[in-house]
Amino acid sequence: SATMKLVLSSRMIKVPDGVTVKTNARRVVVTGPRGELTKDFRHIKISLHVLGKNRVRADMWFGNRKALACVRSLCSHIENMIVGVTQGYAYRMRFAYAHFPINVTITGDSNVVEIRNFLGERRVRKIVAAPGVKVALTSNKDELEVTGNGIEECGQTAALIHQACMVRNKDIRKFLDGIYVSEKGPIGHLKPI
């Protein structure tokens, strides 16, 4: 049987003052006080229109159920970009250890994280942050913060730091050492996890 298709599915995105959104062949550029973010949506068959200064409309013509789901996803991506260039995103991470204190140093242009003494190992773990992401130790003991404009870049960097400190070949219920995300969200509005 033929799948039912909706003739037109539309969604509006509100653009706040001080932010400009430009679209060209499904490449979206969002500019705000914190900088500029670019994203390519050419893999989604959707039409994007900038209406005036403060609205963007996404239209999906004749989409089946799976294609229609892309409309909201794409709008969420653009909304996240708008929050990124106005507020920015932060991931706060805590070090957990039972015996060997995890030693973290940040080198380079605040974008290279070096982790030493994890479970007493001599190996130095090196993580390079995604472009546009800064990592800094906070004033709290055993805590670092990953900040940037792109939510994916910040999340990816936090995930790389977390994955670098995973316990292998031991009972992970007992060996809880590692670096874990404790709070995340727009800067100034972090939510605990």
Side-chain angles (χ1 to χ4, degrees):
S1 68
T3 55
M4 188 185 139
K5 294 195 171 184
L6 191 64
V7 174
L8 172 64
S9 171
S10 274
R11 222 178 150 80
M12 283 285 193
I13 304 160
K14 283 197 177 116
V15 180
D17 295 335
V19 176
T20 57
V21 178
K22 289 180 187 154
T23 63
N24 178 22
R26 290 176 297 197
R27 284 191 195 89
V28 179
V29 179
V30 179
T31 315
R34 284 181 60 94
E36 187 178 276
L37 285 173
T38 309
K39 216 174 194 63
D40 195 333
F41 295 108
R42 283 182 302 170
H43 59 286
I44 302 172
K45 292 184 172 39
I46 203 165
S47 69
L48 288 166
H49 302 283
V50 178
L51 309 174
K53 273 190 171 177
N54 58 355
R55 284 189 309 168
V56 177
R57 192 178 77 209
D59 294 335
M60 169 77 73
W61 292 89
F62 301 108
N64 58 14
R65 191 163 169 236
K66 278 197 172 170
L68 293 175
C70 295
V71 179
R72 184 163 184 159
S73 297
L74 183 137
C75 292
S76 297
H77 279 303
I78 295 171
E79 281 161 11
N80 285 341
M81 289 163 77
I82 290 167
V83 173
V85 295
T86 51
Q87 295 168 265
Y89 285 99
Y91 282 69
R92 209 163 270 169
M93 305 184 81
R94 299 294 302 267
F95 313 161
Y97 51 83
H99 188 271
F100 295 102
I102 299 171
N103 183 345
V104 172
T105 50
I106 290 145
T107 57
D109 186 22
S110 299
N111 68 341
V112 179
V113 182
E114 289 183 355
I115 301 160
R116 290 181 173 80
N117 202 35
F118 175 68
L119 291 180
E121 292 174 14
R122 294 262 186 271
R123 183 165 93 79
V124 178
R125 292 161 162 80
K126 232 178 176 181
I127 299 100
V128 179
V133 175
K134 297 266 184 259
V135 184
L137 293 165
T138 65
S139 53
N140 298 345
K141 185 178 181 284
D142 295 334
E143 192 177 64
L144 64 80
E145 195 170 56
V146 178
T147 53
N149 293 352
I151 191 170
E152 275 113 352
E153 288 84 354
C154 287
Q156 182 65 57
T157 304
L160 288 172
I161 293 167
H162 171 70
Q163 286 174 347
C165 296
M166 292 185 85
V167 180
R168 310 252 176 238
N169 306 324
K170 291 186 178 66
D171 185 353
I172 56 168
R173 293 169 300 178
K174 180 71 179 163
F175 291 84
L176 299 169
D177 296 38
I179 301 179
Y180 298 96
V181 174
S182 61
E183 295 171 272
K184 67 177 183 178
I187 294 171
H189 303 283
L190 296 184
K191 287 198 173 125
I193 294 174

